[in-house]
Amino acid sequence: MIYTIDTIYHLDPTGLRRMGIKAVFSDLDNTLLAWNIRESSQEMAILNKKLAKAGIKLIVISNNNPDRVSEAVSKFNVAFWANARKPLPFGILKALKHYNLSKEDVIMVGDQLITDIQAGNLAGVKTVLVKPLVETDKWNTRINRFFEKIIFFFLNINKKIEFKESLKWMKN
């Protein structure tokens, strides 16, 4: 089981705090920001402020290079871990250690099963799948989306994932 939500911007900081969450690890492209946009959105600033008010840190865990991630998030003082190598868990595990967080303190949010959710699962943290912000993808992400469809087929998940406005469990 994993959580699903239509957009990261609908996360409820109060609910996350009740779950014991101290940090939201988030993918960047198509989760916080459309993949083809270079600069941050005001939505990211608002989310970061709401999370901070609840005592929750927003940390971007991205496969992108440090320059791309920094350009997108530094304006809002959002911490990040670049070159994370998702679906491997190493970026998440290093960020946990660096920020002195336990696996129970964190939720990993992303738009891709094969990278974001798999990395979170391998790292042993709670995961949240979001609907991609835009329907287009970078060439390498299109390959991942193709394999996601195959995975859904073999897992016999023939119903479309429902993305609600608040966290819900997805059942296979």
Side-chain angles (χ1 to χ4, degrees):
M1 291 183 146
I2 60 173
Y3 287 111
T4 61
I5 193 169
D6 60 350
T7 175
I8 191 169
Y9 299 113
H10 287 162
L11 284 177
D12 173 22
T14 305
L16 291 175
R17 197 68 195 151
R18 277 195 304 268
M19 291 171 63
I21 301 301
K22 296 178 183 171
V24 172
F25 285 1
S26 175
D27 178 46
L28 178 64
D29 289 331
N30 271 352
T31 301
L32 278 172
L33 187 65
W35 71 272
N36 53 357
I37 294 177
R38 301 300 299 172
E39 57 190 55
S40 310
S41 70
Q42 265 317 109
E43 286 178 307
M44 189 187 313
I46 294 166
L47 174 66
N48 193 33
K49 284 180 186 175
K50 287 190 329 191
L51 290 171
K53 187 176 179 182
I56 299 171
K57 188 162 187 64
L58 176 61
I59 302 168
V60 171
I61 308 287
S62 177
N63 284 348
N64 272 299
N65 66 61
D67 291 339
R68 159 70 172 137
V69 183
S70 178
E71 180 182 13
V73 304
S74 62
K75 177 177 166 182
F76 300 120
N77 199 28
V78 172
F80 68 89
W81 203 270
N83 296 323
R85 309 265 190 267
K86 297 175 293 184
L88 299 174
F90 306 124
I92 293 172
L93 295 173
K94 287 178 182 178
L96 284 169
K97 185 175 182 179
H98 180 81
Y99 294 104
N100 197 30
L101 296 161
S102 72
K103 294 175 183 182
E104 296 76 26
D105 296 339
V106 171
I107 200 160
M108 174 69 202
V109 181
D111 68 301
Q112 291 186 64
L113 282 174
I114 290 178
T115 55
D116 310 314
I117 303 307
Q118 181 64 11
N121 288 339
L122 290 173
V125 301
K126 295 173 190 77
T127 56
V128 177
L129 180 64
V130 296
K131 189 187 307 183
L133 290 176
V134 294
E135 291 188 22
T136 62
D137 284 306
K138 198 172 169 182
W139 69 270
N140 57 335
T141 305
R142 278 184 254 148
I143 295 167
N144 290 348
R145 301 270 187 227
F146 171 78
F147 286 110
E148 282 180 357
K149 289 177 185 172
I150 293 171
I151 290 168
F152 280 129
F153 174 79
F154 282 107
L155 291 176
N156 199 23
I157 301 174
N158 45 16
K159 67 176 172 58
K160 199 166 178 136
I161 296 173
E162 289 185 44
F163 293 97
K164 307 267 180 159
E165 284 191 36
S166 59
L167 291 180
K168 302 291 180 194
W169 284 106
M170 182 180 99
K171 296 182 181 176
N172 301 11

